[in-house]
Every structure is written in C-alpha cells, then in structure tokens.
Amino acid sequence: MAATTPAPTPASAVRSVQVAAPGAAPELVEVPLRDPGPGAVRIAVEACGVCHSDLLIAAGMLPGTTFPVTPGHEIAGRIDALGDGVQGWKVGDRVAVGWFGGSCGRCDACRSGDAIHCALLQVPGAAYPGGYADSVIVPADALAAVPDELTAAEAAPLACAGVTVFNALRRAAARPGDTVAILGLGGLGHLGVQFAHAMGFRTVAIARGSEKEPLARELGADHYVDSTAGSVADALQALGGAKVVLATVTDADAMSATIDGLGRRGELVIVGVSPDRLAVSPLQLLNGDRRIYAHSSGAAVDTQDTLRFAAQTGVRAWIEELPLEQTGAAVAKMTNGRARFRMVVTTGR
C-alpha cells in the first residue's frame, strides 16, 4: 500500500485501514470515532499483529463478511470507553483481543465452556471492524488482561499465534519431561518451541535445512531434526518416539511424515492450515493407539493465560514493527514469507 502519513485527525475521527472489496489493496482512511454500545468497550489500539488469517477476511472468505472491511485480530491497547452494563473492566485497563472476538453465551458450546466453537462466534475484522486502526469496539467478553511485563507490540501476536500453540500444548497428552516435537519454525513454530521448552518438555524442532539448527537451539530446542536429511519419523523414533508432534506448517505431506515418529499413544496435533489430505493408514494409528486431531485458538480466558505464562517465562514472539500507515507493506511481507517472524503494526500511542 502506497500511502503518506495523513494530517492529524480531529477527536471525532480516527484512522482505519480498509479493504474496499475482495482482493483490493488496503487503504488508510478516516472514519468517525464511535461510542461502544451495551456490553462493549472501545479500545485505543496501540498494536495489531498481522496474521495469515487476515488474508481470508480480506478475501471475503469468512461467512458474514461485508465490505469494506478493516482486518486485524491480534489487538493490544487500552480501554478508553465503556458501554452500558460492562463490569470488571475500567478505562485505562490494558487489554488484548484475538481471533475470539465475542460469543453468544447461550449455545451448547458456550454453555459447555467451549466458546471458541460458539455457533455465533465473532471474529474481529469479519464480524466488526478489526484492529488495523486507531480504535476498535469489541464485546467485553472478548477481552484478555495484558500483564505489565509485556509491551503492546509483544502482547498482540500472542493473542492469536501465541494462544493457538500454548493452548494446543497444554491440552495435549504430553507432561513435563515427555518428548514434544514442533514441526516448523515460522510464525507459529518459533513460539511453539519456546512454549514447549518453558513447559518442561524435551523439545524437538523439525524444519527444512541444517542452517536452521542454531535458531532452533536459540529458541530452546533440545534436539533438531533436518527434514531434508532423512526420515523424520526415524529421527523421532531414535529419540524414543514423540508423545506429541505439534504441526505448525501448512504442508500436509510434512505432517504425514511425522506420524510413524509418534510413540505409544502419541498425538499429532494440527494447528497449521492446509486444504490437502493427510496420508495415513488405519494400521499406522492402531500401532501404538496413536491419535490425530486439530486444535483451534482459544477463548479470551485462554488468551489471558497465554499472556500471563509468557510474561512469567520470558516467551516472546519475534516481531517486526511498522507504523499503521505502512500496513500494506506489513501484509505484503507476511504474505511473501519474509517476516521474522510476526509483523506488528503500531499506532504510535
């Protein structure tokens, strides 16, 4: 996006990055500053992470999306206005919002404590204007408190990428001391290795090429497997078999190649998105009672747990920051795979 920094806006207007139609380039515009309705809060955005899923929203692929859209669902900032009926939060509170942007509170999923699968789940950017902006209004049930130890730019990517891998690992079968392999060292994987190490797992990083081993070790990996150097499954079995393989890549073949590396009652947990089919036979799963399943993000309380754990243990996303007016450049760098490892746009607040 080619854009110049706009002149200071009046108090009644804020900047917002909009996509006018599916496939259109993001454009920085001014929109009216709105007040939150009942049960909602207004957040003065300080930082917003750039996620691959934003491309789905900008392409109109999520049901209910209407254009123009303002993407952005890795939001961090401060509450600057409360709607009627909001309790437990106050103006000035530091908060984050992720993929979970609100739920109905009434469906079976919500009543079972599984609100991320709410039948009426609201995703920022699709259900309402997202965080590529100076200001965003969100339902209060989407809020997670941000610890003082984290800056807004550090907190933002943890609200989606962070909670996805943290929640998947803590709900998996592995316990401290077990062998956990992280497939991929990208935006999700570099966080997965850090979280696995901090949780006390014997952490294995799997990626392409020997040149990535120093990075894996720096992130906390105890072992490194170069997937181009031989059988990934054999390498995992040489380590005794993995209790969990967390697949953060988008390559279904790479996921399939780890299945025979699972140990007894081992699990392949998928958080990377791929439309392709896995190659697996029933015999592979019956051998050791192995499991394959997917895990998607988490609700606001899970995001809050992620932020707290990261603050306590030193887990941090490796980020590159760009100002809001360069959102197009940030999106392009993420899309082209040149981010190391998460792009974050900031408002200068």
Side-chain angles (χ1 to χ4, degrees), residues 212-295:
K212 294 181 181 177
E213 182 171 358
L215 168 63
R217 301 281 186 179
E218 183 179 354
L219 291 168
D222 301 297
H223 301 276
Y224 179 74
V225 174
D226 175 5
S227 62
T228 67
S231 167
V232 170
D234 287 349
L236 291 176
Q237 288 298 340
L239 294 170
K243 189 67 173 180
V244 170
V245 172
L246 182 69
T248 71
V249 299
T250 58
D251 185 336
D253 289 339
M255 298 179 196
S256 300
T258 69
I259 295 171
D260 286 333
L262 295 173
R264 176 177 54 85
R265 299 191 184 278
E267 299 179 344
L268 171 59
V269 184
I270 298 171
V271 295
V273 178
S274 172
D276 300 322
R277 293 182 180 274
L278 294 173
V280 58
S281 71
L283 180 60
Q284 284 178 285
L285 301 182
L286 285 167
N287 183 16
D289 289 351
R290 296 160 171 161
R291 301 176 62 205
I292 300 173
Y293 63 93
H295 181 89

Side-chain angles (χ1 to χ4, degrees), residues 19-22 57 60-70 125-129:
V19 177
I57 294 172
M61 297 180 66
L62 264 65
T65 304
T66 58
F67 288 83
V69 301
T70 296
Y128 50 80

Side-chain angles (χ1 to χ4, degrees), residues 32 68 118 147 159 166 175 186 222 283 289 334:
C118 172
F166 173 79
R175 297 297 177 262
D222 301 297
L283 180 60
D289 289 351
M334 178 273 295

Side-chain angles (χ1 to χ4, degrees), residues 106-322:
R106 302 181 302 276
C107 69
D108 287 349
C110 288
R111 295 173 67 192
S112 300
D114 198 17
I116 188 63
H117 295 297
C118 172
L120 299 175
L121 178 70
Q122 298 183 73
V123 177
Y128 50 80
Y132 293 176
D134 285 323
S135 179
V136 61
I137 293 175
V138 306
D141 69 324
L143 298 175
V146 175
D148 291 339
E149 294 89 344
L150 299 176
T151 67
E154 290 172 335
L158 293 175
C160 179
V163 67
T164 297
V165 294
F166 173 79
N167 220 20
L169 287 171
R170 72 170 176 170
R171 296 177 185 272
R175 297 297 177 262
D178 286 341
T179 299
V180 170
I182 309 299
L183 176 61
L185 282 177
L188 292 174
H190 88 289
L191 284 167
V193 172
Q194 292 182 71
F195 277 122
H197 173 76
M199 290 176 176
F201 301 135
R202 183 191 186 204
T203 304
V204 182
I206 306 170
R208 294 178 59 84
S210 60
E211 70 279 0
K212 294 181 181 177
E213 182 171 358
L215 168 63
R217 301 281 186 179
E218 183 179 354
L219 291 168
D222 301 297
H223 301 276
Y224 179 74
V225 174
D226 175 5
S227 62
T228 67
S231 167
V232 170
D234 287 349
L236 291 176
Q237 288 298 340
L239 294 170
K243 189 67 173 180
V244 170
V245 172
L246 182 69
T248 71
V249 299
T250 58
D251 185 336
D253 289 339
M255 298 179 196
S256 300
T258 69
I259 295 171
D260 286 333
L262 295 173
R264 176 177 54 85
R265 299 191 184 278
E267 299 179 344
L268 171 59
V269 184
I270 298 171
V271 295
V273 178
S274 172
D276 300 322
R277 293 182 180 274
L278 294 173
V280 58
S281 71
L283 180 60
Q284 284 178 285
L285 301 182
L286 285 167
N287 183 16
D289 289 351
R290 296 160 171 161
R291 301 176 62 205
I292 300 173
Y293 63 93
H295 181 89
S296 58
S297 192
V301 67
D302 300 309
T303 298
Q304 188 161 293
D305 289 346
T306 303
L307 294 168
R308 185 184 298 117
F309 186 86
Q312 292 171 346
T313 60
V315 172
R316 297 292 186 273
W318 289 17
I319 61 175
E320 295 184 47
E321 299 179 42
L322 285 176

